[in-house]
Amino acid sequence: MKRRSALSLLALGASTGLPFGALAAADPWPSRTIRLVVPFPPGGGTDIVARAVGQALARRMGQAVVVDNKPGASTQIGTEAVARAAPDGYTLLVSGSTTYSVNPALRARLNYDPFKDLTPVAVLARAPIVVVTAASSPYQTVDDLLAAARAKPEAVRYATYGSGTAPHLSGVLLGQAAQVVLQDIAYKGSAQVTTALLSGEIDVSFDTLASAAPLIKAGKLRALATSSRARLAMLPQVPALEELHLGGASFEGWYAMSAPAQLAPAVQARLGKELRAVMALPEVQSQFRAQALEPVYLGPAEMLQLMEQEVTLFRAAAARARLTVE
């Protein structure tokens, strides 16, 4: 039967002038394994999102979905691999806002253009950022922190993972919104940042709720504010920067799926439909919330709007701070 089907396709190709490959490509999507490229190492927030969504997609669509971690160069290695892939829906990108808005806003040289080389599919999760200090710190509120910064410029030190990273941007935006100058100190990872906070080497950190929540609950860190526009359900007692009249510093990390440019509209629509259903599943929502991630579904138009808004915001902040990243 398989041989007869193949011969039939060859005969049809001969009669229509189309090659066998073109006819085979007309199979309904998906008809084979889908690869989700994650431009970060295993175990992080992006990887968690990709695996949870991938497993649910595989169950719904009856095809294998595999995660392919390609870290490096501030997400550029994995992102470029997807941008250069065939736009057939079998190679997709799951990444954070670093790929979609931070890099294009701050990097003078970038080996991809998210607006030209990628097709937005959906935003899948938000990752709230929390302003934290050590429990032993003298700063009880954001006002205390800013008062110290006004009294002695650059005396208040905050942790980053390097120039142009989300914590660095958080400090720049807060400083600009409050008209103070905070001193950024770069560290290699969250473990080093935690040690520096607890020892008093730095005064404050801008961290994801997923990373900070266990230490806040343990009483080792004090949450001063969240960078979201409203209070978080997990930290109802902690004010948002918006209500502190520091809305110019408000932004959240987020995770989204995209595809190579020129993805077929039918595939984009089917993928969006499946992702909307996946994000409504209680088990997926539970997996996300267990990691202090907020499950959402924002379609292509909303994702594109978010990218444009953040690129504009970050470029303006970088220009005021004279910040460039090579």
Side-chain angles (χ1 to χ4, degrees):
M1 288 298 291
K2 289 182 180 179
R3 183 172 180 273
R4 185 178 301 171
S5 297
L7 290 172
S8 298
L9 280 172
L10 285 170
L12 181 59
S15 65
T16 61
L18 292 174
F20 175 79
L23 292 167
D27 288 345
W29 181 91
S31 58
R32 55 187 171 86
T33 298
I34 297 170
R35 182 169 63 115
L36 302 183
V37 175
V38 172
F40 292 95
T46 313
D47 188 66
I48 290 168
V49 168
R51 292 181 189 279
V53 170
Q55 289 170 4
L57 278 177
R59 290 193 296 268
R60 283 188 59 84
M61 298 192 299
Q63 293 292 339
V65 179
V66 299
V67 173
D68 183 4
N69 297 91
K70 289 184 175 295
S74 187
T75 80
Q76 291 186 74
I77 292 174
T79 301
E80 187 179 20
V82 174
R84 292 183 176 181
D88 54 13
Y90 293 101
T91 302
L92 304 170
L93 178 73
V94 178
S95 190
S97 48
T98 296
T99 291
Y100 301 112
S101 58
V102 176
N103 278 347
L106 301 186
R107 291 189 173 270
R109 291 191 295 270
L110 197 61
N111 59 13
Y112 70 93
D113 182 334
F115 297 98
K116 294 180 180 179
D117 299 330
L118 298 174
T119 298
V121 176
V123 177
L124 305 172
R126 291 192 179 101
I129 295 173
V130 187
V131 186
V132 292
T133 189
S136 58
S137 164
Y139 306 121
Q140 300 292 322
T141 66
V142 170
D143 283 343
D144 293 343
L145 188 77
L146 297 179
R150 291 189 184 99
K152 190 175 181 181
E154 299 188 17
V156 175
R157 300 151 300 175
Y158 74 98
T160 78
Y161 299 133
S163 184
T165 59
H168 187 205
L169 277 174
S170 297
V172 169
L173 289 170
L174 179 58
Q176 291 177 352
Q179 297 183 333
V180 300
V181 178
L182 307 178
Q183 179 61 53
D184 58 291
I185 307 294
Y187 293 89
K188 291 182 178 179
S190 58
Q192 284 187 337
V193 170
T194 299
T195 300
L197 263 178
L198 296 179
S199 69
E201 184 177 308
I202 55 173
D203 301 290
V204 67
S205 175
F206 300 84
D207 209 346
T208 62
L209 180 57
S211 296
L215 293 170
I216 294 171
K217 290 179 181 178
K220 294 183 178 180
L221 295 181
R222 178 186 302 125
L224 301 180
T226 67
S227 67
S228 52
R229 297 193 176 276
R231 295 197 180 202
L232 303 177
M234 288 186 66
L235 296 172
Q237 76 283 7
V238 179
L241 290 175
E242 181 80 22
E243 67 184 275
L244 298 176
H245 307 292
L246 295 166
S250 297
F251 86 98
E252 296 177 306
W254 45 276
Y255 302 98
M257 182 182 291
S258 59
Q262 300 181 351
L263 179 68
V267 174
Q268 184 182 22
R270 169 73 191 283
L271 185 55
K273 178 183 176 182
E274 296 296 341
L275 287 171
R276 183 187 291 274
V278 162
M279 296 314 301
L281 294 172
E283 60 267 30
V284 172
Q285 294 189 355
S286 295
Q287 283 179 278
F288 277 40
R289 292 193 174 108
Q291 301 297 325
L293 299 172
E294 179 188 356
V296 298
Y297 175 85
L298 302 178
E302 294 169 296
M303 178 176 168
L304 182 60
Q305 183 181 38
L306 180 59
M307 290 166 59
E308 291 171 340
Q309 288 174 343
E310 289 199 349
V311 167
T312 299
L313 172 67
F314 297 155
R315 277 182 180 160
R320 289 194 298 270
R322 299 180 181 178
L323 170 65
T324 58
V325 181
E326 294 298 327

